[in-house]
Amino acid sequence: MPSTDGIGGDGGPRPEPIRFFGTTWVARGGGYALRRVAVSAGSLAAAVGACFLLRFAFEGLEIAKAGSFVGVLVIVMFAVCSAIAFRKTWEGFVRRPADPVGDESLRSLKMIGFIGSLTAYFLRSLAEAPGEGLRRGEYETAVTRYERRRTARTRNPATRKGKRPKRK
């Protein structure tokens, strides 16, 4: 399939697309800056909306007269889950998980702490597309390897001067 964005069209490595950005992060064109602003605003709005949603849920616990112990337990649970979700989401922007199975087992915890994930997404999108640094490093390494392999194969090995003698 030919490349439509001019990246990796010669059979070389192709950049990994990022959610909401596609491959515009490579050349930082195609509305990249506008997308970053939109992603920042959207993730911040979603985090604020989630806080209001949790506030309404907490008010529901107060109306149900569940008790102060349950209220404190809910607050602590969301705070701890949000902190863990923030950390894991932020680490996902910097490096690939060492244990993908273990990271997958934290999915439910990250869903409970969704405010932490949204906050990490917001803060990262202020500097770059979330995950751009990781993917840029991987892409540049792949391009360098590809160029080295390509230039190493430009000569015909059969015409080398210092051929080894054949074994008897």
Side-chain angles (χ1 to χ4, degrees), residues 5 9 12 15 19 28-29 33 37 44 47-48 52 67 72 77 80 84 91 94 113 118-119 129 131 150 163-164:
D5 54 7
R19 182 182 300 157
R28 294 191 175 184
V37 168
L44 181 62
V48 169
F52 280 121
V72 169
M77 177 201 57
V80 168
I84 292 171
E91 286 175 358
V94 179
L118 289 169
T119 305
R150 223 173 111 208
K163 286 189 180 180
R164 288 190 231 154

Side-chain angles (χ1 to χ4, degrees), residues 5-137:
D5 54 7
I7 301 169
D10 62 347
R14 297 190 57 92
E16 186 178 347
I18 297 176
R19 182 182 300 157
F20 305 121
F21 293 91
T23 57
T24 61
W25 59 268
V26 176
R28 294 191 175 184
Y32 172 82
L34 184 62
R35 289 178 192 210
R36 266 198 34 218
V37 168
V39 165
S40 294
S43 58
L44 181 62
V48 169
C51 288
F52 280 121
L53 182 70
L54 287 179
R55 176 65 185 147
F56 294 140
F58 190 74
E59 286 178 4
L61 286 175
E62 288 178 354
I63 291 171
K65 296 183 182 177
S68 62
F69 178 73
V70 173
V72 169
L73 206 62
V74 167
I75 290 172
V76 169
M77 177 201 57
F78 273 108
V80 168
C81 290
S82 289
I84 292 171
F86 179 90
R87 187 174 138 252
K88 288 297 181 180
T89 303
W90 193 266
E91 286 175 358
F93 297 145
V94 179
R95 65 180 172 274
R96 302 279 181 186
D99 181 21
V101 175
D103 200 50
E104 187 68 26
S105 66
L106 293 175
R107 184 189 300 192
S108 59
L109 191 113
K110 287 168 86 175
M111 286 175 56
I112 294 169
F114 60 98
I115 293 175
S117 291
L118 289 169
T119 305
Y121 208 80
F122 166 71
L123 292 174
R124 194 60 175 199
S125 64
L126 292 175
E128 65 180 9
E132 177 183 347
L134 171 68
R135 288 180 176 88
R136 186 173 298 282

